[in-house]
Amino acid sequence: TFPLALDVGSGRGYIAQHLTKETIEKLIQVDISENALKNAVDSEIPTVSVVADEEFLPFKEDTFDLVVSSLSLHWVNDLPRAFREIHQVLKPDGVFIGAMFGGDTLYELRCSLQLAELEREGGFSPHVSPFTAVSDLGHLLSRAGFNTLTVDTDEIQVNYPGLFEVMEDLQGKYILYGNINVFCMGESNCSWNRKPLLHRETMLAAAAIYREMYGNSDGSVPATFQIYYMIGWKFHESQARPAQRGSATVSFGDLAKIDGLLSRGKK
């Protein structure tokens, strides 16, 4: 049971819908968008909304038993600082559980746009926000002070009719599928050095390249979303620690003998 939990980059409260009051007694939802917090969905858990930047969390040190963050940290300008802020507001033996978009996210779209711009305009600029590499994530968490780390990756592939539908979905417009209104991701490029617009010919060329290089046999095109999952704990004396180097009594070489020992034991 976590008496007090924090959701960093909560948006409209999507995480809160999947938490139970038996596990979380009170949840603080933090987001930099006041409008998102005002439109947060209802939850069975008592919640408090706070408008704040993830890089400057307005809470005292050692406040929360649990901090969660789902698919918002790729918007952060200074990710190492955000991790340090999360670590600071956690109580000793508190845990941070997060998920964020990874480096291979939308690689099909990025490659198609770059090739099209090089061909039509003689150069290219970023049109998709930068993402962190998984090889850096563990180092960033460790440098922020977390221990007993777990980092995992997953890839989700979504098929679309074409490039224009991918971009429309990413920009967060309401699209009508049958009789159902679906609110899309609302993800666009947050880089200040981005190019403000793409020429029509470049877009058409990118759509053709996308279909040619990555298209499925049924005419659709895939969009890949890579997700990093992370768990990190704040140090406490009660936590298990690694044994001293050289104190092992069993060699990894003996693992090959396990099957023989087990079968002998059964006899």
Side-chain angles (χ1 to χ4, degrees):
T1 300
F2 299 95
L4 186 60
L6 174 67
D7 184 359
V8 176
S10 61
R12 297 179 60 225
Y14 303 107
I15 288 292
Q17 299 176 64
H18 302 281
L19 303 176
T20 63
K21 56 187 177 183
E22 288 77 25
T23 304
I24 309 294
E25 294 181 4
K26 187 176 182 180
L27 178 68
I28 309 297
Q29 296 175 311
V30 166
D31 200 277
I32 201 169
S33 170
E34 183 178 0
N35 189 52
L37 292 173
K38 284 182 177 179
N39 292 286
V41 294
D42 293 331
S43 166
E44 68 174 48
I45 304 172
T47 60
V48 176
S49 297
V50 177
V51 179
D53 190 333
E54 295 89 344
E55 299 170 36
F56 304 94
L57 294 176
F59 306 106
K60 293 182 179 179
E61 190 175 353
D62 302 342
T63 298
F64 296 96
D65 306 278
L66 166 71
V67 177
V68 297
S69 179
S70 179
L71 302 183
S72 70
L73 290 175
H74 64 288
W75 283 102
V76 172
N77 293 313
D78 189 347
L79 188 59
R81 183 188 177 98
F83 283 150
R84 288 197 301 270
E85 288 284 301
I86 292 170
H87 181 269
Q88 181 172 306
V89 301
L90 271 174
K91 292 180 179 179
D93 203 32
V95 62
F96 167 56
I97 304 175
M100 65 182 294
F101 287 117
D104 285 340
T105 296
L106 297 173
Y107 73 87
E108 304 98 339
L109 176 62
R110 286 184 286 169
C111 185
S112 300
L113 289 171
Q114 288 177 7
L115 290 174
E117 276 196 292
L118 281 171
E119 178 192 349
R120 298 301 171 96
E121 303 179 31
F124 67 87
S125 62
H127 295 285
V128 177
S129 298
F131 299 106
T132 303
V134 69
S135 57
D136 298 327
L137 190 57
H139 297 300
L140 292 175
L141 289 166
S142 179
R143 197 170 73 180
F146 291 101
N147 59 38
T148 320
L149 296 174
T150 302
V151 177
D152 201 0
T153 66
D154 191 15
E155 287 190 0
I156 299 172
Q157 199 171 81
V158 182
N159 293 319
Y160 292 87
L163 176 142
F164 294 103
E165 286 79 9
V166 175
M167 298 187 72
E168 187 175 28
D169 199 9
L170 292 172
Q171 289 169 0
K173 298 177 180 177
Y174 281 98
I175 302 176
L176 186 66
Y177 289 103
N179 294 320
I180 303 174
N181 278 311
V182 179
F183 185 71
C184 306
M185 294 178 64
E187 296 286 345
S188 57
N189 185 7
C190 63
S191 301
W192 282 107
N193 64 342
R194 69 186 185 273
K195 197 173 180 179
L197 57 86
L198 278 167
H199 297 294
R200 181 174 179 273
E201 288 187 1
T202 303
M203 290 289 293
L204 291 172
I209 292 170
Y210 202 138
R211 195 174 300 278
E212 178 66 26
M213 291 183 63
Y214 306 107
N216 298 316
S217 57
D218 62 358
S220 63
V221 296
T224 298
F225 299 91
Q226 185 178 42
I227 314 294
Y228 298 155
Y229 300 99
M230 65 203 95
I231 302 174
W233 297 79
K234 190 168 182 176
F235 176 76
H236 189 267
E237 290 291 340
S238 65
Q239 292 173 348
R241 302 184 188 182
Q244 289 186 350
R245 190 175 183 86
S247 62
T249 57
V250 179
S251 169
F252 275 113
D254 295 333
L255 291 174
K257 305 174 185 177
I258 286 180
D259 290 338
L261 292 172
L262 290 175
S263 59
R264 202 180 311 162
K266 290 178 181 178
K267 290 178 182 179

